[in-house]
Amino acid sequence: MLRGIIEQKEISKERFEAKQDQIQKQALKRFIENDSKRNSNLEKIDIKDNTLKSRRKLLNDYDSIAMERIMGKSDLFPISYLQMGTNSGNSICRIQIRDDRGSFIGSGTGFLVSENVLMTNNHVIDSMRTALNSIAEFNYQDDVNFMPCPTCTFRLNPEQFFVTDEELDFTLVALKDNPSSDKQPKDFGHLHLVAEEGKILEGEYVSIIQHPNGGPKAVTIRENKVSSILDDFIHYLTDTEPGSSGSPVFNDQWIVVALHHSGVPNPNKKNTWIANEGIRISSISNYFAKKYNNFTAEEKMFIGEIFSNLDIFSEPNPSDPIPSQIDVGYDSTFLGLDYKVDLPGLSEEMKKDVSYMDNGSYVLDYTHFSIVMCRSRCLAYFTAVNIDGNQAKNIKRSGDSWNFDPRIPTDAQYGDELYAKNDLDRGHLVRRLDPVWGDKAIQANNDTFHFTNSSPQHKNLNQKIWLDLENYILKNAQNHNLKVSVFTGPVFRSDDMIYRGKFKIPAEFWKVAVMIKDDGKMSATAYLQTQKNMIENLEFAYGEYKTYQVPVARIEEITGLDFGELSQYDPIANIESAGMVIGAPEHIKL
């Protein structure tokens, strides 16, 4: 769930101010270009008439003079208008931007768009790292006696949900509950975002609730005329100050029409402004509509809470090659109809964090094997391969060219950036020769060279290749048809090392091998191998590694996967609970 993160450099006051300056220059450029390309009055009338038709749907039927206000014929408001503004302001907070040492860098504004998801600017919270260091303060305002109100402070929780985009300058990030607070984020309410266009017209007025200069909450009401509406931005004349970045821009119905992000500087006079600029909410919603199929199930759940009326569409590229074009993949009846071995089951939490294809499936089928990817870790939850020793082909390795699988997002797969200039190998999870059998052996060989099938392994671990476990099992099983089904994957732990600022490196890998022995009974054996003492220093790693034969139940325990009834066919299920060190192939118990 770490979308749009290109880098995670430590935030600094200089970098923060430089980004603001860059955004202001871009806003001025858009303002000048738009001013020189204004359409004719006739075209504006046509646009306005069309927009009014959709605008009427957003009005309260009991507000009888709402359309007169929109047309500029009345300034009358029901008294409830002020209460609606107060209610809307409850969900708006001050954001304190801090560096890794906890030092104050700057401030911004944010607002809740669901029970625990905050919206602000990308230039306020630009990465997970910044989010983890920063805090959100609600009710940071003065009461009717101009005395400070009690505030409620919450940490940001980017590991649960985090989406950011530099071009549209927005960030969505989850908040953590505060166990020491009487109130939690959901108690402050949230602003409902409307995806459709037509929520504001040129000439109308907007209101902004903000934390100017990082101070107590303030509001500008209807003194802010919309001067132009661009494809993704709107310009308006309003009083905003630094610290107001990330504020919601409201129309007269207190519907959020834009995310405030910058002033438009006066090119002729320093430190003065000719307008302000906000990102249209309809453009932000359009961003999610276009990319919707690239998000995980859990991300889609959050997005659905934020944009309940999102008009989802996708743009498939027919030229993208599909890895295999053969609907085979792992065969659960490969060992025989009486020995069905299904793919491991995922927990409900794991199902929320898988990479889906456009067809709604998360099982990536290749020739003789299948893979299920973990979205947040960009690595496989597991691989599953059928091995047929009788039909095995000896195809030589012709190179080391790896490819992304176009059926899932590229940013959901670790690529070459991880493996450059270090001792990490692209470890095959499905070993290259395992699915290489039968008439489609060449295609199977090629399919194994997808990044979905790779996992970062220290070269000393990868080159020993698990003591050639599959070779030993095939050679010694005395199986009448030499068939084996093998499941492999990394162990994901919260304390896995973060490498180069964003890659989490698994320290352990597991394998489960299933076969039918000569006596007709099924055997399911499990193995665990660690590289934990190898990756602490990737540049100067050394030391021994160990392989263990462990109960299948142990693999279920540390991965969260469900192997069904396989534990019943595990020869050490009731012998060893901690596992046995495998120093040589003859130590394996089948």
Side-chain angles (χ1 to χ4, degrees):
M1 292 171 278
L2 315 179
R3 305 281 178 159
I5 306 175
I6 300 173
E7 59 178 356
Q8 290 198 10
K9 295 179 180 178
E10 181 180 359
I11 190 72
S12 65
K13 188 174 181 65
E14 292 75 18
R15 181 164 157 251
F16 179 63
E17 292 175 348
K19 290 187 71 172
Q20 289 180 307
D21 183 62
Q22 180 185 14
I23 289 169
Q24 290 170 5
K25 290 178 180 177
Q26 293 170 346
L28 175 61
K29 181 181 179 182
R30 281 188 289 266
F31 186 87
I32 293 173
E33 289 177 349
N34 180 68
D35 195 53
S36 63
K37 296 179 182 179
R38 289 200 175 266
N39 298 318
S40 67
N41 290 332
L42 178 61
E43 289 174 327
K44 288 182 184 177
I45 292 172
D46 290 342
I47 293 172
K48 187 168 185 176
D49 288 344
N50 291 333
T51 304
L52 282 174
K53 294 178 182 178
S54 59
R55 181 67 176 279
R56 291 178 188 272
K57 301 176 183 178
L58 303 176
L59 302 179
N60 192 312
D61 294 336
Y62 295 101
D63 190 348
S64 58
I65 56 175
M67 284 306 300
E68 293 186 42
R69 287 198 299 273
I70 293 172
M71 301 301 294
K73 298 178 181 179
S74 175
D75 286 326
L76 291 175
F77 286 85
I79 192 66
S80 59
Y81 172 81
L82 299 177
Q83 185 59 53
M84 291 168 64
T86 301
N87 295 342
S88 297
N90 291 335
S91 61
I92 297 168
C93 67
R94 180 176 78 156
I95 297 175
Q96 278 196 41
I97 308 162
R98 298 179 175 182
D99 62 19
D100 290 351
R101 293 167 294 281
S103 300
F104 179 79
I105 296 298
S107 64
T109 302
F111 55 99
L112 285 167
V113 291
S114 73
E115 286 191 351
N116 73 324
V117 174
L118 190 73
M119 175 177 278
T120 187
N121 292 133
N122 166 274
H123 77 265
V124 174
I125 301 292
D126 65 345
S127 70
M128 252 189 100
R129 184 173 181 175
T130 302
L132 287 169
N133 292 330
S134 302
I135 60 173
E137 298 172 296
F138 287 83
N139 208 38
Y140 185 72
Q141 61 194 60
D142 292 339
D143 63 18
V144 293
N145 296 314
F146 296 98
M147 293 296 293
C149 296
T151 61
C152 295
T153 303
F154 303 99
R155 287 276 182 191
L156 278 58
N157 189 11
E159 293 177 335
Q160 183 181 30
F161 182 70
F162 185 88
V163 181
T164 190
D165 184 77
E166 187 173 2
E167 184 176 350
L168 289 177
D169 196 19
F170 78 85
T171 289
L172 289 168
V173 59
L175 293 181
K176 287 184 179 180
D177 284 352
N178 184 346
S180 62
S181 174
D182 293 335
K183 288 188 175 183
Q184 301 306 330
K186 65 180 181 180
D187 297 322
F188 292 91
H190 64 276
L191 301 176
H192 297 275
L193 300 186
V194 178
E196 289 88 350
E197 297 181 355
K199 299 183 289 293
I200 196 69
L201 299 171
E202 286 187 18
E204 275 195 276
Y205 292 85
V206 293
S207 300
I208 301 178
I209 302 178
Q210 57 195 294
H211 282 280
N213 282 316
K217 193 182 299 176
V219 59
T220 59
I221 301 179
R222 299 202 84 241
E223 292 296 328
N224 324 300
K225 189 174 183 178
V226 175
S227 60
S228 58
I229 300 177
L230 286 66
D231 288 342
D232 295 326
F233 302 89
I234 66 170
H235 291 140
Y236 41 91
L237 308 175
T238 183
D239 296 323
T240 57
E241 299 181 24
S244 300
S245 294
S247 303
V249 181
F250 298 96
N251 66 11
D252 279 342
Q253 289 74 50
W254 293 104
I255 295 173
V256 185
V257 299
L259 171 67
H260 176 74
H261 85 132
S262 178
V264 179
N266 187 334
N268 301 316
K269 190 174 181 181
K270 191 175 181 180
N271 295 327
T272 60
W273 313 93
I274 53 179
N276 281 280
E277 184 177 75
I279 303 101
R280 297 176 66 181
I281 295 299
S282 56
S283 294
I284 295 174
S285 70
N286 196 41
Y287 170 96
F288 285 98
K290 287 181 177 179
K291 296 179 179 292
Y292 187 79
N293 289 325
N294 296 339
F295 289 98
T296 68
E298 186 175 8
E299 287 173 324
K300 289 176 180 178
M301 178 185 69
F302 281 103
I303 295 166
E305 293 173 355
I306 298 166
F307 294 104
S308 58
N309 54 347
L310 196 65
D311 186 13
I312 300 165
F313 65 94
S314 60
E315 297 177 341
N317 186 354
S319 65
D320 283 344
I322 300 301
S324 174
Q325 298 289 355
I326 308 165
D327 188 16
V328 283
Y330 173 81
D331 181 1
S332 62
T333 61
F334 180 70
L335 301 180
L337 295 176
D338 295 331
Y339 304 102
K340 186 177 181 183
V341 182
D342 291 323
L343 291 174
L346 302 178
S347 69
E348 290 304 313
E349 286 302 310
M350 295 168 77
K351 288 179 181 178
K352 295 176 182 178
D353 192 17
V354 293
S355 288
Y356 282 92
M357 296 180 289
D358 288 342
N359 63 7
S361 173
Y362 55 76
V363 179
L364 299 168
D365 286 333
Y366 302 87
T367 307
H368 302 152
F369 68 97
S370 299
I371 297 176
V372 172
M373 292 290 289
C374 174
R375 181 63 179 85
S376 63
R377 292 296 298 262
C378 301
L379 297 171
Y381 271 128
F382 67 83
T383 64
V385 60
N386 303 126
I387 306 171
D388 190 335
N390 273 335
Q391 298 189 64
K393 301 289 180 67
N394 186 17
I395 296 178
K396 292 184 178 180
R397 184 167 182 160
S398 58
D400 196 32
S401 177
W402 290 73
N403 302 291
F404 290 103
D405 188 325
R407 296 175 294 179
I408 62 173
T410 299
D411 64 359
Q413 310 166 61
Y414 282 165
D416 283 326
E417 184 183 1
L418 167 59
Y419 301 98
K421 298 179 180 180
N422 56 36
D423 284 336
L424 289 177
D425 284 347
R426 302 171 189 83
H428 277 79
L429 291 175
V430 170
R431 197 179 53 164
R432 183 181 69 87
L433 291 177
D434 284 352
V436 179
W437 52 267
D439 295 337
K440 300 180 175 64
I442 294 177
Q443 181 63 59
N445 175 77
N446 296 337
D447 280 358
T448 66
F449 285 93
H450 282 90
F451 284 118
T452 50
N453 187 42
S454 70
S455 188
Q457 295 178 350
H458 191 275
K459 64 180 182 180
N460 291 343
L461 173 72
N462 186 32
Q463 289 164 7
K464 291 181 174 62
I465 315 278
W466 284 82
L467 295 174
D468 290 328
L469 285 174
E470 291 96 334
N471 280 346
Y472 177 78
I473 293 169
L474 283 171
K475 182 179 179 181
N476 295 278
Q478 297 180 350
N479 186 332
H480 67 280
N481 59 9
L482 291 176
K483 286 186 175 182
V484 183
S485 291
V486 177
F487 306 96
T488 307
V491 179
F492 295 144
R493 298 190 186 276
S494 60
D495 62 349
D496 282 339
M497 186 188 77
I498 298 178
Y499 180 52
R500 292 178 174 171
K502 59 180 176 179
F503 302 111
K504 295 192 80 171
I505 309 296
E508 296 167 302
F509 296 87
W510 59 268
K511 192 181 295 289
V512 173
V514 186
M515 62 184 179
I516 309 303
K517 296 188 293 184
D518 194 46
D519 60 5
K521 295 181 179 179
M522 183 182 288
S523 171
T525 52
Y527 310 90
L528 182 65
Q529 192 170 53
T530 180
Q531 60 179 9
K532 207 171 186 71
N533 60 339
M534 292 183 176
I535 63 174
E536 292 177 358
N537 187 328
L538 282 173
E539 310 304 329
F540 305 98
Y542 65 96
E544 294 183 358
Y545 70 95
K546 292 183 179 180
T547 301
Y548 299 84
Q549 182 172 354
V550 298
V552 171
R554 175 61 176 157
I555 303 301
E556 291 180 311
E557 178 185 344
I558 62 177
T559 64
L561 295 170
D562 182 358
F563 285 92
E565 299 179 352
L566 286 189
S567 285
Q568 299 179 21
Y569 309 103
D570 183 353
I572 69 166
N574 301 314
I575 301 175
E576 296 283 348
S577 60
M580 303 178 300
V581 175
I582 303 298
E586 56 266 24
H587 296 159
I588 296 173
K589 290 185 180 295
L590 298 177

